[in-house]
């Protein structure tokens, strides 16, 4: 399936990349999901290593959510199509067609869901503004919400991209209003609140 997508994108001269980082599955604590590979990710063939990824790592370390990000977090994207900005996916969708555009998202969702179901790992999805009916990542959400067995493993957040740092602001907001036992508990509560907000868009 991946080769089929590669061939079609190559023929259309659309840039894409895959995450070449190696992971030791027994050490994993989280599945991290970004939007799509940007310039740094495309150059290095690694996901979430640009400014947004660095901000996320900083937050996870400072709040003691992980001890070793690279070994405890496996990283995916909602699509492997490369653009400088997520908004640049819109004209690409029109260029390659809805069927291929959605098919790639469904493929990515299946990979993520299979790993989460096998290891019972929480899926931390960053970038909620494009999740919903007729939005850029509509196909991704509809697929992953269907495929993941443990729905409480689906956690959604604002994006950590600078300079706005919406994830950090979201964290600080809920930190002051929620009752939580640990930073991990706070992380999960925020994620479930946002997951419900996305699901409500489909009702």
């Amino acid at each position: 399936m991946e080769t089929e997508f590669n061939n079609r994108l190559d023929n259309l001269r659309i840039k894409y990349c895959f995450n070449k980082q190696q992971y030791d599955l027994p050490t994993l604590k989280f599945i991290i999901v970004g939007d799509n590979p940007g310039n740094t990710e495309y150059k290095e063939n690694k996901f979430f290593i640009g400014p947004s990824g660095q901000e996320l790592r900083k937050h996870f370390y400072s709040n003691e959510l992980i001890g070793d990000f690279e070994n405890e977090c496996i990283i995916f994207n909602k699509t492997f199509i490369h653009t400088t900005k997520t908004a640049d996916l819109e004209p690409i969708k029109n260029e390659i067609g809805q069927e291929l555009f959605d098919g790639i998202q469904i493929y990515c969702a299946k990979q993520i869901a299979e790993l989460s179901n096998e290891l019972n790992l929480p899926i931390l999805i960053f970038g909620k503004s494009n999740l919903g009916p007729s939005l850029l990542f509509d196909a991704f959400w509809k697929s992953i919400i269907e495929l993941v067995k443990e729905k409480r493993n689906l956690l959604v957040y604002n994006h950590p991209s600078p300079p706005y740092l919406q994830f950090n602001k979201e964290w600080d907001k809920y930190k002051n209003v929620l009752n939580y036992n640990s930073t991990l508990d706070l992380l999960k509560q925020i994620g479930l609140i946002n997951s419900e907000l996305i699901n409500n868009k489909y009702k």
Side-chain angles (χ1 to χ4, degrees), residues 37 66 82 86 96 112-113 158 170:
I66 42 82
H82 156 67
T86 301
I96 69 176
I112 295 165
N158 280 330
E170 179 177 63

Side-chain angles (χ1 to χ4, degrees), residues 133-172:
S134 302
L135 298 179
L136 270 174
F137 300 122
D138 179 20
F140 176 86
W141 183 257
K142 287 192 292 190
S143 182
I144 202 161
I145 195 70
E146 177 185 347
L147 293 168
V148 171
K149 294 177 182 177
E150 178 51 68
K151 305 307 180 189
R152 292 186 65 82
N153 276 336
L154 275 173
L155 308 170
V156 180
Y157 306 91
N158 280 330
H159 206 277
S161 59
Y164 303 108
L165 303 176
Q166 294 297 336
F167 169 62
N168 301 59
K169 293 176 182 177
E170 179 177 63
W171 177 274
D172 291 338

Side-chain angles (χ1 to χ4, degrees), residues 70-81:
E70 306 309 325
N71 287 313
E72 295 173 18
C73 301
I74 186 168
I75 305 175
F76 291 86
N77 276 319
K78 302 176 186 78
T79 179
F80 46 75
I81 296 175

